[in-house]
Amino acid sequence: NAGVMQNPRHLVRRRGQEARLRCSPMKGHSHVYWYRQLPEEGLKFMVYLQKENIIDESGMPKERFSAEFPKEGPSILRIQQVVRGDSAAYFCASSPPGRMNTGELFFGEGSRLTVL
Amino acid sequence: GESVGLHLPTLSVQEGDNSIINCAYSNSASDYFIWYKQESGKGPQFIIDIRSNMDKRQGQRVTVLLNKTVKHLSLQIAATQPGDSAVYFCAESLGSSASKIIFGSGTRLSIRP
């Protein structure tokens, strides 16, 4: 049973370009979360999605950032017109049904975005 | 606002000794408290959680203690091994979904041979 799969693992973009990060949750998990981590810091919640629905996007910047989790395919975190401050590790996590409130999340290995 | 803080940013422990990683929290309404381990270059890995109505929970080589009176959480690792080297995050969940999970800034645990 594969874990949470994220790709790409590393992504380099120039300022103004777009970044697309993909996440496939664990088999049987229908809840996906995206977190952002700066070096030597904790994880900051960005968005929580179920299939075809955004449940909570309170941690996501209002501009340039969007997320989706279509009926088929992986969840996508999209950052438009990237700036240097977007450089970070972006982690995706999923949770088993019925366990969302416990905080038990299964994380992917992360996508590390570098903006030049 | 709510926050989860840590007493020490780094901890160095002799191999074979027990490790104790501490954490302070501020939100009395949290339902669950969780410890995650993050190895270099990897994603966080769930270690153990404890519900707010408990004060102790044991896992394999790990014990989590919760003191609600002083809003303190600790993770004890028995017989620390080189593979325990990582950053440890405490987190608190306010329930309903992971969007209410607040992560601390982490404690780096290093093991001396």
Side-chain angles (χ1 to χ4, degrees):
Chain A
N1 186 12
V4 176
M5 303 300 292
Q6 289 189 249
N7 68 84
R9 291 294 310 278
H10 300 276
L11 183 63
V12 179
R13 285 287 179 265
R14 295 189 182 280
R15 282 179 296 171
Q17 291 184 320
E18 178 180 288
R20 286 197 180 208
L21 311 176
R22 289 175 289 277
C23 169
S24 296
M26 287 184 70
K27 187 177 181 180
H29 294 189
S30 57
H31 303 264
V32 165
Y33 313 84
W34 285 93
Y35 286 82
R36 169 189 165 112
Q37 185 178 37
L38 294 172
E40 302 298 306
E41 292 190 9
L43 294 100
K44 303 297 184 186
F45 167 79
M46 298 182 73
V47 62
Y48 163 43
L49 311 102
Q50 293 180 18
K51 285 283 188 182
E52 299 185 278
N53 283 309
I54 296 175
I55 307 302
D56 187 338
E57 55 182 348
S58 59
M60 201 146 71
K62 295 289 187 289
E63 298 179 351
R64 301 189 299 108
F65 286 73
S66 63
E68 62 176 7
F69 190 15
K71 186 177 181 180
E72 301 291 338
S75 175
I76 306 286
L77 179 67
R78 182 185 179 200
I79 311 172
Q80 295 177 289
Q81 300 174 335
V82 296
V83 300
R84 290 210 174 115
D86 296 333
S87 296
Y90 292 85
F91 287 96
C92 173
S94 67
S95 67
R99 294 282 293 172
M100 296 82 70
N101 63 321
T102 67
E104 181 182 4
L105 301 176
F106 293 80
F107 282 86
E109 299 289 3
S111 292
R112 282 150 184 83
L113 173 64
T114 302
V115 180
L116 302 178
Chain B
E2 297 89 1
S3 66
V4 177
L6 295 168
H7 293 310
L8 294 173
T10 60
L11 179 65
S12 180
V13 175
Q14 189 78 33
E15 182 178 349
D17 287 352
N18 296 336
S19 301
I20 300 177
I21 302 172
N22 296 305
C23 176
Y25 67 92
S26 58
N27 194 323
S28 301
S30 296
D31 293 330
Y32 284 86
F33 299 89
I34 315 106
W35 283 100
Y36 282 88
K37 172 186 180 182
Q38 186 176 26
E39 296 178 65
S40 181
K42 295 188 176 182
Q45 180 182 11
F46 172 88
I47 301 174
I48 191 169
D49 63 5
I50 186 168
R51 196 161 187 174
S52 59
N53 61 356
M54 301 171 64
D55 52 22
K56 180 179 181 179
R57 190 175 183 203
Q58 287 185 289
Q60 189 174 15
R61 275 202 312 120
V62 295
T63 301
V64 56
L65 299 177
L66 176 62
N67 185 332
K68 293 182 286 293
T69 302
V70 295
K71 296 182 181 177
H72 184 267
L73 184 72
S74 70
L75 177 71
Q76 300 179 6
I77 305 173
T80 310
Q81 303 168 358
D84 295 327
S85 293
V87 176
Y88 290 81
F89 294 97
C90 65
E92 55 182 327
S93 172
L94 301 181
S96 72
S97 80
S99 63
K100 304 302 182 190
I101 295 177
I102 303 170
F103 282 83
S105 57
T107 293
R108 183 176 301 279
L109 177 65
S110 63
I111 314 302
R112 302 192 303 273

